[in-house]
Amino acid sequence: MIVIYYKKLIVFNLILLCNIALMQAQIKNASFEKKTIDTERQIVKKLNGWKISKGNVELISSTVFSAAKGKQVLDLNGDQPGAIRQTIKGLKKHCFYTLKFEYADQNTRNRDKTGTLATADVFVNDKKITTLRNLSHAPNYINGIGFAFKSSAKGTAMLEFVSTTKGEAGLVIDNLRIEEGLPLPPPVNNHLVNGSFEMNVESKASNPHLFGEQLPGWLIMKENIDLIAIDHYGTPHGKWVIDLGGHGPGGIAQTVSDLVPGANYRLSFLYARHKYWNQVDSLTGNIFINDSLVLSLSRNKLEKAPRWEKVSHDFIAPPDGKVKLSMFSTSLTVGGGILYDNIKIEKIGDSTSPKKIPVLIVDGFSNHHWKLNTTYLKNILEASGKFDVSVSTCPNQADDASEWKKWSPNFSDYPVVIQTCNNINREAKIQWPEAVKASFDNYVKKGGSVYMYHGATNAFKGWQAYNDMIGIGWRHKDFGIAVTIDSSENLNIIPKGAGENTGHGKRRDVLITRLGHHPIHLGMPKKWMGADIEVYRYARGTMKNLEVLSYAKDEKTGLNFPMEWTVKYGEGKVYCSTYGHLWKNQEWPPSMRCSAFQQSMIRSLQWLSGHEVDNYVEPDFPTSKNPVLR
């Protein structure tokens, strides 16, 4: 009992000595209030409690902008870059401490194209512990987790703040303090938490600037970060993405526990450059696992969102089953960073590679180059690695009537069918057998899905079920109703008989605008340039259960007409568009090389077949200015 009493007494005395040490280790004039200035700003060469070791500094009154604490802040630049230092005594010898303070930039500072950030170095006992880089305007102070340092053998710490910003305005600092121990460690979660940054953040701003513990599931390790809602040009997952640049190069971290020691895991995420970040500098970032660098990333001006790129890194879980994931911006001359979303850590053994989606292409006749068309479609889909493609060719009705009658595709073997046949102006001579029509109708009604490829919406005008499947198609003005899209993106119905017969102008590069937020368009921009497009004006039909996904302007009429649309038919789904075109004298034309067409087709087939649609857009997806050909 006596031994236990003395142990408790020793612990109590150590705590008491620690508290006494901290009480003695006070920063003098930590909020720069000891000298009250008569003007809003005053350049000083003497500062109570501090030695001005370089240049001069400036005291700024809260009448200019609010102080973090008290009524004054210190600008590390007077009329030139300055530096201040002070020796703190009374610390425990050779112990770790955390230096905390609040800092910000000034909106009066001149920001040229070569260096937008205000910068300063922080030293303790002549050792640099951090470099501050920021352009967050006061009074939007950053108050993070602090910076670690070790006291000297004498129990002292000589603090020094050195401005490295040119000119008459630099970083402002306020509310300095010292706490015993290292800065707050990243939170430990038994799985990766908030990997898509959708957890609630208490902020009224549309892009809140966060620091410290303000991002659920993560710790913000340095500077600050931005949460950004970028739906106007496409979020790959949910509403929010994260910008690790914030108003300076920031970083986030969390520790993931409960991994199986020795098991294989995969870290994956999406990244892009902010659409509106126009500085010439490349945005860069580093990714660490257990403080080891595993990925270095870079995005230049040509790689802006929605060009989200997916990246992954495989690793083996350590013996303790814990990994610390750290992500840092390393863009040191600009106040922005790479955007990230949909971060995952998954056990490789538990996840199998997605099975390829079976797709059936039905061909055999068209006024287009249907044989070569099928070859190109098959090559595009198989090159993506996502599809197994089969082909069923309708025999020539006139040349081989017996084979034509026996032809019977087994549609039910496939979750999605690509229909390419087109018998426009030849309906009396070229058809599918009635048994195939009935089978196709039954397939879609019971939940099958169809991708109507380009001229397929021209076909089978006398087949009522088919007309209901496509909603609108290439028809005479007396056939049915048409639809236009006005400047407010409202649908306007054109009655049967009004307007013109269905037609199109010359194929050209066309600006396509999406409507709403269909899964096929997940992560795509609001507008993009499609290559070699035919805009169908006055496509007509029943419009039953039709949803317009995107539209484009017809040159002749100046009206907006549907570019992509879907139809619900029974339990099935149908996708139609005027994308893609291959005429009889063409080979590998721009209409099929168009990256927007290829990516839209892949996403449409994923959606039609009931599979998850890719949540990122390939890097070569076009902007609203120019198409991209593959």
Side-chain angles (χ1 to χ4, degrees):
M1 293 293 293
I2 295 175
V3 172
I4 294 173
Y5 169 78
Y6 276 112
K7 284 184 177 179
K8 289 183 177 179
L9 184 62
I10 291 169
V11 172
F12 174 78
N13 287 336
L14 287 172
I15 294 173
L16 183 63
L17 288 171
C18 172
N19 289 336
I20 291 172
L22 283 175
M23 288 176 62
Q24 293 174 343
Q26 296 296 316
I27 301 174
K28 297 177 182 177
N29 198 12
S31 288
F32 311 108
E33 303 294 316
K34 290 293 179 69
K35 179 178 179 180
T36 304
I37 61 174
D38 298 326
T39 59
E40 292 182 343
R41 296 175 178 268
Q42 183 177 329
I43 297 174
V44 296
K45 295 183 178 180
K46 292 184 179 181
L47 186 64
N48 291 343
W50 297 87
K51 177 181 178 181
I52 299 176
S53 54
K54 172 187 172 185
N56 54 42
V57 295
E58 186 174 39
L59 288 172
I60 301 177
S61 165
S62 58
T63 58
V64 177
F65 47 75
S66 300
K69 184 177 181 181
K71 297 182 178 180
Q72 294 180 171
V73 297
L74 184 78
D75 180 355
L76 287 175
N77 288 40
D79 59 10
Q80 58 185 293
I84 60 172
R85 67 166 61 186
Q86 177 182 157
T87 298
I88 312 301
K89 299 178 181 179
L91 302 175
K92 293 169 67 175
K93 300 175 182 178
H94 298 297
C95 284
F96 284 105
Y97 290 87
T98 297
L99 172 64
K100 291 187 174 182
F101 51 90
E102 298 181 48
Y103 63 103
D105 192 11
Q106 302 177 68
N107 59 12
T108 58
R109 186 173 62 84
N110 180 33
R111 295 175 177 82
D112 58 33
K113 294 181 179 180
T114 58
T116 62
L117 300 175
T119 59
D121 291 330
V122 183
F123 295 84
V124 175
N125 294 327
D126 294 321
K127 180 180 179 180
K128 184 162 69 173
I129 62 169
T130 190
T131 294
L132 308 174
R133 295 180 175 90
N134 195 258
L135 50 69
S136 182
H137 301 157
N140 297 314
Y141 295 96
I142 294 175
N143 180 20
I145 62 174
F147 305 94
F149 70 90
K150 194 173 184 181
S151 61
S152 70
K154 297 180 180 179
T156 62
M158 194 277 285
L159 308 183
E160 186 171 25
F161 291 78
V162 180
S163 173
T164 52
T165 304
K166 297 178 181 180
E168 299 179 354
L171 283 173
V172 294
I173 58 174
D174 201 4
N175 193 24
L176 280 66
R177 62 260 191 216
I178 292 176
E179 299 176 1
E180 187 177 12
L182 293 169
L184 191 69
V188 179
N189 306 308
N190 63 6
H191 64 285
L192 186 74
V193 173
N194 200 14
S196 286
F197 312 108
E198 300 300 311
M199 293 178 70
N200 184 46
V201 171
E202 294 184 4
S203 175
K204 295 181 181 179
S206 60
N207 60 324
H209 313 303
L210 308 178
F211 53 79
E213 300 176 82
Q214 295 180 332
L215 182 67
W218 300 86
L219 184 69
I220 300 168
M221 304 298 292
K222 61 181 292 190
E223 300 292 351
N224 69 346
I225 62 171
D226 283 357
L227 272 180
I228 304 176
I230 57 168
D231 181 65
H232 54 288
Y233 67 87
T235 51
H237 195 272
K239 178 182 178 182
W240 300 93
V241 299
I242 198 168
D243 177 358
L244 289 189
H247 284 173
I252 58 175
Q254 69 171 277
T255 296
V256 182
S257 66
D258 292 3
L259 303 182
V260 179
N264 294 317
Y265 285 84
R266 175 166 296 153
L267 164 70
S268 64
F269 54 87
L270 308 173
Y271 73 106
R273 182 183 174 104
H274 197 303
K275 179 179 180 181
Y276 297 114
W277 199 253
N278 290 319
Q279 280 86 345
V280 296
D281 309 69
S282 291
L283 299 182
T284 56
N286 284 338
I287 313 299
F288 296 82
I289 289 181
N290 285 341
D291 299 320
S292 294
L293 179 66
V294 296
L295 291 167
S296 291
L297 309 171
S298 180
R299 301 293 276 184
N300 63 35
K301 284 189 69 174
L302 299 178
E303 296 172 315
K304 295 180 179 182
R307 289 175 171 82
W308 292 91
E309 185 170 339
K310 190 170 186 177
V311 68
S312 64
H313 172 77
D314 295 348
F315 64 92
I316 299 174
D320 64 357
K322 294 181 179 179
V323 293
K324 183 175 77 171
L325 172 63
S326 308
M327 310 177 73
F328 291 95
S329 171
T330 54
S331 301
L332 303 182
T333 60
V334 294
I338 293 174
L339 304 179
Y340 296 88
D341 201 6
N342 203 26
I343 303 169
K344 296 178 181 179
I345 290 180
E346 299 172 297
K347 188 179 177 185
I348 295 175
D350 290 345
S351 60
T352 58
S353 298
K355 291 183 178 179
K356 293 182 179 181
I357 301 170
V359 176
L360 177 67
I361 297 176
V362 179
D363 65 9
F365 53 86
S366 176
N367 59 339
H368 296 68
H369 196 336
W370 62 265
K371 290 183 180 179
L372 191 55
N373 210 135
T374 295
T375 300
Y376 288 155
L377 290 176
K378 194 171 187 292
N379 289 344
I380 291 169
L381 295 179
E382 291 181 341
S384 73
K386 305 176 191 294
F387 304 96
D388 274 330
V389 183
S390 301
V391 179
S392 181
T393 301
C394 179
N396 188 294
Q397 186 175 357
D399 295 346
D400 198 340
S402 61
E403 288 299 315
W404 176 78
K405 288 180 181 179
K406 289 191 295 184
W407 178 63
S408 180
N410 196 351
F411 298 117
S412 60
D413 286 348
Y414 302 89
V416 60
V417 172
I418 300 177
Q419 203 295 87
T420 71
C421 295
N422 178 8
N423 63 349
I424 189 171
N425 299 325
R426 302 168 67 194
E427 193 162 2
K429 295 182 178 180
I430 302 177
Q431 283 285 345
W432 285 353
E434 290 301 319
V436 174
K437 288 183 178 181
S439 174
F440 188 69
D441 184 15
N442 186 60
Y443 162 76
V444 184
K445 278 182 178 176
K446 291 188 175 181
S449 295
V450 184
Y451 183 108
M452 296 290 184
Y453 174 75
H454 189 62
T457 57
N458 303 175
F460 304 128
K461 68 179 180 180
W463 179 9
Q464 185 56 47
Y466 192 85
N467 288 320
D468 289 341
M469 287 182 205
I470 64 175
I472 54 176
W474 190 284
R475 303 290 187 256
H476 189 274
K477 68 179 180 179
D478 293 329
F479 182 87
I481 59 178
V483 62
T484 61
I485 299 92
D486 65 23
S487 59
S488 299
E489 297 195 333
N490 297 313
L491 302 186
N492 298 320
I493 300 299
I494 309 299
K496 183 165 107 173
E500 304 176 12
N501 299 331
T502 307
H504 65 72
K506 291 182 179 179
R507 292 191 305 276
R508 58 190 175 88
D509 297 343
V510 171
L511 185 67
I512 299 169
T513 303
R514 66 174 169 88
L515 276 174
H517 309 280
H518 196 278
I520 291 173
H521 291 153
L522 183 67
M524 288 186 181
K526 176 67 175 175
K527 300 174 184 290
W528 62 90
M529 190 68 74
D532 205 31
I533 298 292
E534 290 180 344
V535 178
Y536 282 14
R537 56 179 175 265
Y538 296 105
R540 295 181 177 275
T542 64
M543 280 193 62
K544 291 180 182 178
N545 303 315
L546 182 144
E547 179 185 2
V548 178
L549 304 190
S550 65
Y551 61 89
K553 181 172 288 189
D554 170 55
E555 278 190 314
K556 176 184 175 183
T557 63
L559 298 174
N560 295 319
F561 290 100
M563 173 67 195
E564 300 168 278
W565 61 97
T566 62
V567 175
K568 178 72 173 174
Y569 183 78
E571 297 299 318
K573 298 181 290 188
V574 179
Y575 168 92
C576 309
S577 84
T578 61
Y579 267 130
H581 182 279
L582 183 63
W583 202 236
K584 299 172 184 178
N585 60 350
Q586 289 183 302
E587 289 188 10
W588 199 220
S591 55
M592 299 199 73
R593 293 171 56 202
C594 174
S595 69
F597 156 65
Q598 293 188 17
Q599 293 183 55
S600 295
M601 179 172 61
I602 288 170
R603 285 161 158 259
S604 301
L605 292 171
Q606 289 174 325
W607 175 75
L608 286 165
S609 61
H611 288 70
E612 183 179 359
V613 178
D614 286 341
N615 61 353
Y616 64 98
V617 179
E618 297 286 353
D620 65 347
F621 197 86
T623 66
S624 60
K625 295 181 179 179
N626 299 297
V628 177
L629 301 183
R630 290 179 167 179

